[in-house]
């Protein structure tokens, strides 16, 4: 009797709503701790990044002008999809991580809950961060937040899923489009996240997920004029300086935080309006009041 | 600002007919202002000679005559100022908000009390018309201190659920177009939030900032809470590169902003940038045309066009193009260019000779690219000083240099559009995103335009309105961060 042979997955980049191979033809080998096998993920090139930027730019109109209600429902659906694939995601966390099975499931659960949290912000942030301003004179003066545009995200490897989800959902829930570069040392869970996104009615291009070398891509991210903001945590001083220096040419917003691993579990803090605010631009409107 | 510009609704035809009998008599503002021969640096609550041992001349752009000598701060001087701010930080940030507020209220009152003196000084040093410094710059500077004073003990309520702490020592670099007002925009929120400051005014307009330092002394502001270092770009570079700074705020051109952001990339410092613009000003055929024309005048000729948010690209719906150009031409001829201390002057002196040269070069380029120049032609310009006639160019294409680059002068590029969609596309076709203006009487259209125009400030059926409670700042390459309102406090707190 012959034994059935597994059909193993080909890992791809997620760009413009499609799963594509890297044009570089290069891969990022990741050793699967539990299976002892080596998985080859795509090593995204500069060209892949540019394709992702093009897709993200194209999606700005659809996603940026979608109602908060709709965006909220789509983020909630991402939570639903992740819940369905809870075990699979925990398995992906086991590939390179060292956490206990219980801890892995806890991280998946926290990530699901984080998505639900950010889903709720999608139609409320205007009321918290916007407002009417009391100017002297016969004018209406109101300030409303608007999405910054295309946000590049450099997520850390610990806690890989919770951090990726938090850093993705914050700009996404308020209408930014995103390009998430998975951490090189632990890219599998983020790559799997693309499959959650792909089944959640997220418009093509609103979320793009790349695997590849951060050293190689960070400069290109900083240089690209159509990326409007970059979100990163715990970069080395040198890398942060390089990012800021090269972002200066396009007046890019650089959001960088130093966070310990336990900090990501504090839901209220990591899902606060101040996690979303760095990816919003305040627009102030004046109009005279007269008969 | 519309009010300031519209005060003179003279029928120009009849005025011309009776020119000899009815010309304006000079109405100079009296100048009860003492200007010292020499100004030193304001560090740790005292005026002190610069370690550089160097001073430079500041001139009046309307006469070309020197007004005073101003200290040049070198690297060591900047270090001293930053150290003084650092030393003052614990005391100032731990002072209760209620007490900090009282200092700011005092400063606001002192500015109001010395308003005449400050207005005259601002006009002499910078060249702007006295009616603008008197009615806008100085009252608004006082308003900024008064508004922000009230925030100092309410920071707990300003940021939902977050604990607002001061950022630390703030380096602040400001331009020459609104010298005292920009100083107030920068200093008032910083102090309200418990930070200490080192301010660098522009080298051509240091006098009112130094007068503000005197006001700080009068108000009993603790030494070192605000320090003022004067000098040219080099001094600004020293300040931007100084590792004792926790936060850097810059207002000026996008090119210098890029350079500042590069210098500031070393170390972990907060940065806000308020940069250049090429703001679109859109008039639909259904707009109230009289008001719209006044809006265009305020948009481009206010402060000689030395305004980062100047409405320098005019888009007119094609069906009313001829009418708008006719009215604009007529209104432009009624503007009075000349002695900025004269209360009837609309357009003062260009701030400095380099800027004048730059503006002239742009106007030449505009014509060589096929633009037709319309300029104020009735009056002769003063013999001494730096002057440029208010003007606009028609026959401009969006690809022309003067439709793309910031001129920072009284030069307007006029273009047309056919549909709202085309207006939005053309208006947004720029790396800048500071401000935009829209004129239409259709309510739904106002909101749609305001939503889709890519800019930080949208003036609907008005232009160039400013207030301390209203957040101001750009998107895209016009910078990031806001100044004014609750949103303006954000740059000066850690959450």
């Amino acid at each position: 009797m012959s034994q059935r042979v597994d059909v193993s997955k080909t890992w791809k980049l997620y760009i413009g709503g499609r799963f594509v191979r890297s044009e570089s033809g290069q891969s990022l080998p990741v050793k699967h701790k539990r299976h002892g096998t080596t998985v080859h993920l795509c090593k995204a090139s500069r060209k892949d990044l540019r394709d992702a930027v093009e897709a993200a730019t194209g999606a700005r109109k659809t996603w940026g002008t979608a109602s908060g209600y709709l965006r909220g429902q789509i983020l909630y659906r991402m939570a639903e999809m992740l819940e369905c694939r809870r075990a699979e995601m925990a398995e992906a966390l086991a590939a390179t991580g060292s956490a206990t099975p219980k801890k892995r499931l806890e991280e998946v659960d926290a990530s699901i809950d984080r998505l639900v949290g950010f889903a709720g912000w999608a139609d409320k942030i205007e009321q918290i961060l916007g407002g009417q301003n009391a100017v002297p004179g016969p004018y209406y003066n109101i300030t409303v937040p608007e999405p910054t545009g295309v946000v590049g995200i450099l997520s850390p490897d610990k806690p890989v899923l919770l951090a990726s989800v938090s850093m993705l959902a914050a700009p996404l829930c308020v209408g930014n489009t995103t390009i998430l570069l998975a951490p090189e040392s632990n890219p599998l869970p983020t790559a799997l996240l693309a499959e959650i996104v792909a089944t959640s009615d997220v418009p093509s291009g609103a979320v793009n997920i790349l695997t590849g070398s951060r050293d190689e891509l960070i400069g290109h991210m900083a240089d690209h004029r159509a990326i409007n903001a970059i979100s990163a945590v715990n970069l080395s001083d040198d890398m942060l300086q390089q990012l800021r220096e090269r972002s200066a040419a396009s007046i890019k917003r650089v959001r960088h935080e130093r966070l310990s691993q336990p900090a990501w579990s504090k839901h209220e803090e990591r899902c606060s309006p101040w996690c979303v605010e760095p990816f919003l631009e305040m627009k102030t409107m004046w109009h005279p009041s007269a008969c | 600002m519309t009010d300031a510009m519209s005060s003179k609704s003279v029928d120009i035809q009849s005025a011309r007919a009776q020119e000899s009998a009815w010309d304006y008599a000079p109405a100079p503002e009296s100048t009860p202002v003492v200007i010292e021969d020499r100004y030193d640096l304001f560090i740790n609550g005292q005026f002190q000679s610069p370690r550089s041992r160097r001073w430079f001349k500041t001139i009046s752009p309307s006469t070309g005559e020197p007004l005073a000598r101003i200290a040049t701060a070198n690297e060591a001087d900047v270090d001293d100022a930053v150290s003084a701010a650092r030393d003052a930080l614990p005391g100032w940030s731990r002072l209760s908000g209620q007490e900090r507020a009282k200092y700011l209220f005092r400063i606001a009152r002192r500015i109001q009390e010395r308003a005449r003196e400050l207005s005259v000084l601002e006009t002499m040093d910078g060249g702007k018309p006295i009616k603008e410094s008197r009615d806008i710059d100085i009252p608004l500077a006082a308003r900024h201190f008064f508004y922000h004073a009230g925030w100092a003990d309410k920071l707990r309520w300003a940021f939902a659920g977050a604990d607002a702490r001061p950022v630390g020592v703030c380096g602040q670099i400001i331009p020459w177009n609104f010298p005292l007002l920009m100083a107030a925009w920068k200093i008032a929120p910083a102090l309200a939030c418990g930070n200490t400051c080192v301010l660098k005014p522009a080298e051509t307009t240091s006098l009112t900032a130094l007068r503000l330092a005197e006001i700080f002394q009068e108000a009993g502001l603790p030494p070192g809470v605000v320090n003022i270092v004067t000098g040219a770009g080099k001094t600004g570079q020293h300040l931007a590169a100084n590792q004792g700074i926790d936060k850097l705020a810059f207002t000026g051109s996008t090119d210098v902003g890029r350079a500042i952001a590069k210098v500031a990339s070393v170390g972990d410092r907060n940065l806000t940038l308020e940069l250049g613009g090429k703001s679109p000003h859109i008039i639909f055929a259904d707009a109230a045309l009289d008001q719209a024309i006044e809006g265009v005048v305020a948009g481009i000729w206010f402060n000689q066009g030395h305004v980062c948010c100047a409405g320098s690209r005019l888009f007119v719906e094609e069906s009313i193009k001829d009418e708008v150009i006719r009215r604009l031409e007529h209104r432009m001829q009624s503007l009075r260019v000349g002695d900025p201390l004269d209360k009837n002057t609309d357009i003062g002196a260009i701030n400095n000779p380099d800027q004048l040269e730059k503006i002239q070069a742009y106007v030449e380029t505009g014509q060589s690219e096929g633009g037709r120049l319309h300029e104020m032609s009735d009056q002769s310009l003063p013999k001494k000083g730096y002057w440029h006639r208010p003007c606009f160019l028609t026959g401009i294409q969006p690809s022309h240099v003067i439709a793309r680059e910031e001129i920072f002068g009284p030069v307007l590029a006029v273009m047309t559009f056919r549909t709202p969609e085309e207006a939005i596309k053309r208006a947004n076709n720029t790396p800048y995103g500071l401000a935009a203006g829209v004129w239409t009487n259709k309510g739904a259209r106002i909101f749609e335009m305001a939503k889709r125009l890519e800019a930080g400030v949208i003036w609907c059926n008005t232009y160039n309105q400013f207030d301390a409670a209203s957040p101001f700042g750009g998107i895209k390459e016009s910078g990031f961060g806001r100044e004014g309102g609750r949103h303006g406090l954000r740059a000066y707190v850690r959450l």
Side-chain angles (χ1 to χ4, degrees):
Chain A
M1 212 168 70
S2 64
Q3 212 178 355
R4 184 176 177 272
V5 177
D6 283 352
V7 179
S8 58
K9 186 190 293 185
T10 305
W11 294 88
K12 294 187 179 180
L13 307 173
Y14 182 61
I15 298 174
R18 296 172 61 227
F19 289 93
V20 293
R21 286 199 182 82
S22 170
E23 66 85 35
S24 70
Q26 289 189 306
S27 68
L28 205 62
V30 176
K31 191 138 174 103
H32 200 296
K33 274 192 180 171
R34 271 159 53 98
H35 302 164
T37 53
T38 298
V39 179
H40 287 269
L41 280 87
C42 292
K43 189 175 179 206
S45 65
R46 180 184 182 183
K47 172 73 168 72
D48 295 318
L49 173 70
R50 292 170 71 98
D51 289 346
V53 175
E54 199 175 314
T57 305
R60 283 183 66 177
K61 200 172 171 195
T62 343
W63 187 243
T65 59
S67 70
Y69 183 29
L70 180 62
R71 285 196 308 265
Q73 290 187 78
I74 288 174
L75 263 89
Y76 186 78
R77 184 166 166 84
M78 283 167 65
E80 290 174 339
M81 293 299 105
L82 187 52
E83 183 81 46
C84 297
R85 300 174 75 163
R86 192 166 167 262
E88 187 186 353
M89 189 57 95
E91 175 69 19
L93 284 173
T96 49
S98 53
T100 61
K102 185 169 169 272
K103 288 269 177 215
R104 291 198 296 266
L105 276 178
E106 274 173 16
E107 189 183 338
V108 180
D109 291 348
S111 304
I112 297 167
D113 295 350
R114 189 65 44 87
L115 282 169
V116 174
F118 278 111
W121 272 130
D123 55 2
K124 294 167 194 72
I125 204 81
E126 285 85 349
Q127 287 180 320
I128 303 294
L129 298 181
Q132 182 161 357
N133 312 305
V135 295
Y139 292 94
Y140 269 93
N141 185 283
I142 53 172
T143 299
V144 288
E146 292 189 346
T148 297
V150 176
V151 180
I153 300 163
L154 302 163
S155 59
D157 58 357
K158 279 178 196 151
V160 61
L161 180 66
L162 185 56
S164 289
V165 163
S166 303
M167 290 177 77
L168 177 70
L172 189 66
C173 73
V174 288
N176 293 285
T177 60
T178 53
I179 299 157
L180 172 61
L181 177 63
E184 201 172 334
S185 59
N186 196 4
L188 268 184
T190 314
L192 184 59
L193 188 63
E195 296 177 22
I196 310 290
V197 174
T199 48
S200 303
D201 290 333
V202 177
S204 304
V207 176
N208 303 277
I209 295 179
L210 306 179
T211 46
S213 157
R214 178 180 287 186
D215 283 347
E216 214 176 288
L217 291 175
I218 191 168
H220 299 316
M221 263 191 165
D223 289 343
H224 204 302
R225 288 181 92 103
I227 297 180
N228 307 99
I230 289 182
S231 171
V233 295
N234 302 344
L235 295 184
S236 68
D237 289 346
D238 283 354
M239 199 172 257
L240 179 60
Q241 192 203 329
Q242 188 201 348
L243 177 63
R244 286 194 168 139
E245 198 175 335
R246 289 175 72 167
S247 293
S250 55
I251 316 290
K252 210 181 283 329
R253 288 90 173 114
V254 177
R255 163 75 168 177
H256 179 261
E257 287 180 290
R258 299 216 174 272
L259 288 170
S260 67
Q261 200 176 340
W264 292 96
S265 305
K266 295 180 181 162
H267 180 75
E268 283 203 354
E269 274 173 37
R270 296 323 306 164
C271 192
S272 89
W274 307 106
C275 298
V276 177
E277 184 245 16
F279 311 106
L280 291 167
E281 308 286 323
M282 297 299 156
K283 179 181 269 184
T284 298
M285 254 183 87
W286 291 73
H287 197 287
S289 164
C291 281
Chain B
M1 322 250 137
T2 312
D3 296 344
M5 281 276 182
S6 65
S7 58
K8 188 162 48 62
S9 56
V10 177
D11 181 331
I12 211 73
Q13 299 302 325
S14 62
R16 270 187 209 145
Q18 304 176 36
E19 201 163 295
S20 54
W22 290 99
D23 204 6
Y24 282 76
E29 179 64 70
S30 61
T31 52
V33 177
V34 179
I35 301 177
E36 307 288 340
D37 169 57
R38 194 186 96 179
Y39 285 89
D40 289 335
L41 306 172
F42 184 66
I43 295 175
N44 206 24
Q46 301 292 325
F47 286 96
Q48 59 185 58
S49 298
R51 288 176 189 262
S52 71
R53 309 303 303 161
R54 292 177 66 183
W55 288 263
F56 61 93
K57 276 186 201 158
T58 188
I59 56 146
S60 166
S62 59
T63 61
E65 300 292 327
L67 290 172
R69 287 181 306 139
I70 313 277
T72 296
N74 65 13
E75 197 171 358
D77 292 311
V78 171
D79 278 346
D80 287 350
V82 172
S83 300
R86 176 64 57 197
D87 293 344
L89 184 63
W92 182 250
S93 59
R94 273 190 228 123
L95 195 64
S96 74
Q98 214 178 358
E99 299 305 313
R100 281 204 308 271
K102 286 193 272 184
Y103 284 109
L104 294 184
F105 280 125
R106 259 193 211 170
I107 293 163
R109 285 300 198 219
R110 285 282 190 280
I111 293 173
Q112 289 173 328
E113 285 160 9
R114 297 175 69 171
R116 174 69 62 93
E117 172 197 359
L118 290 165
S119 307
V120 169
L121 194 59
E122 196 74 300
T123 285
M124 289 174 80
D125 199 20
K128 64 171 62 201
I130 186 72
K131 71 175 182 188
E132 290 179 9
S133 42
R134 182 195 64 201
D135 298 345
I136 295 152
D137 290 64
I138 309 306
L140 208 42
R143 160 91 176 131
H144 269 267
F145 277 101
F146 200 92
Y147 174 83
H148 285 100
W151 271 121
D153 59 348
K154 298 169 194 68
L155 297 173
R156 214 182 130 193
W157 318 113
F159 301 98
D163 179 23
R165 290 161 291 127
V167 180
V169 176
C170 305
Q172 304 172 315
I173 301 172
I174 57 171
W176 44 257
N177 55 344
F178 296 94
L180 185 70
L181 181 55
M182 289 296 125
W185 279 35
K186 294 270 185 287
I187 294 171
L191 297 194
C193 296
N195 304 280
T196 57
C197 307
V198 178
L199 177 86
K200 192 203 88 75
E203 71 268 32
T204 61
T205 53
S206 308
L207 288 179
T208 45
L210 293 163
R211 201 61 54 117
L212 184 62
E214 288 177 26
I215 289 176
F216 294 151
Q217 285 181 322
E218 281 177 21
L221 190 71
V225 169
V226 179
N227 306 274
I228 298 179
V229 289
T230 45
K234 194 100 185 154
T235 305
Q237 278 175 21
H238 293 316
L239 185 55
N242 194 296
Q243 288 300 306
I245 297 283
D246 300 302
K247 191 234 150 40
L248 189 65
F250 170 80
T251 297
S253 73
T254 293
D255 283 345
V256 179
R258 285 192 182 104
I260 292 268
K262 264 190 194 165
V263 173
S265 65
V266 186
D268 210 359
R269 272 177 292 178
N270 288 12
L271 178 68
T272 44
L273 300 169
E274 203 269 85
L275 306 177
K278 191 73 190 173
S279 298
H281 206 153
I282 300 168
I283 307 180
F284 283 96
D286 66 352
L289 266 197
D290 285 340
Q291 282 104 314
I293 295 295
E294 289 310 311
V296 174
V297 170
I300 189 62
W301 295 317
F302 170 56
N303 200 26
Q304 299 74 248
H306 301 328
V307 184
C308 48
C309 53
S312 51
R313 289 183 298 149
L314 180 63
F315 294 99
V316 183
E317 191 161 354
E318 210 166 82
S319 59
I320 55 162
K321 183 186 98 181
D322 294 343
E323 178 65 9
V324 166
I325 288 172
R326 189 186 66 75
R327 288 189 190 217
L328 194 58
E329 173 93 48
H330 175 80
R331 184 65 179 84
M332 182 174 66
Q333 299 301 345
S334 74
L335 294 171
R336 298 182 64 82
V337 182
D339 180 6
L341 281 166
D342 190 312
K343 285 174 267 194
N344 289 322
T345 292
D346 297 304
I347 312 277
I350 298 301
N351 181 271
N352 59 74
D354 291 349
Q355 187 59 28
L356 179 59
E357 219 168 90
K358 193 176 141 195
I359 299 168
Q360 287 165 337
Y362 272 117
V363 172
E364 272 172 34
T365 307
Q367 288 173 282
S368 69
E369 285 189 320
R372 185 185 153 221
L373 179 68
H374 306 244
E375 61 175 352
M376 192 203 70
S377 53
D378 278 10
Q379 298 166 44
S380 56
L381 297 177
K383 299 272 178 296
K384 288 194 296 180
Y386 316 114
W387 308 90
H388 199 282
R389 293 172 195 278
C391 65
F392 64 90
L393 287 99
T394 52
I396 299 299
Q397 296 301 319
S399 57
H400 288 176
V401 170
I402 69 154
R404 290 188 286 114
E405 295 181 13
E406 182 174 46
I407 299 173
F408 223 62
V411 184
L412 174 69
V414 182
M415 291 162 278
T416 60
F417 67 92
R418 288 182 184 175
T419 62
E421 207 57 42
E422 189 187 4
I424 290 166
K425 260 202 187 131
R426 288 190 157 196
N428 288 342
N429 183 17
T430 167
Y432 294 115
L434 191 48
V438 193
W439 295 83
T440 169
N441 266 344
K442 206 169 163 189
R445 181 182 279 161
I446 281 280
F447 281 104
E448 183 63 11
M449 293 297 291
K451 193 162 71 184
R452 292 180 59 193
L453 285 168
E454 294 168 0
V457 182
I458 313 279
W459 284 298
C460 309
N461 290 322
T462 184
Y463 205 91
N464 267 352
Q465 298 291 338
F466 308 94
D467 185 59
S470 178
F472 182 91
I475 64 169
K476 299 189 338 191
E477 293 185 17
S478 288
F480 44 78
R482 292 292 173 267
E483 294 183 297
R486 177 167 52 96
H487 300 89
L489 300 174
R490 179 65 187 92
Y492 291 100
V493 294
R494 284 187 208 278
L495 298 180

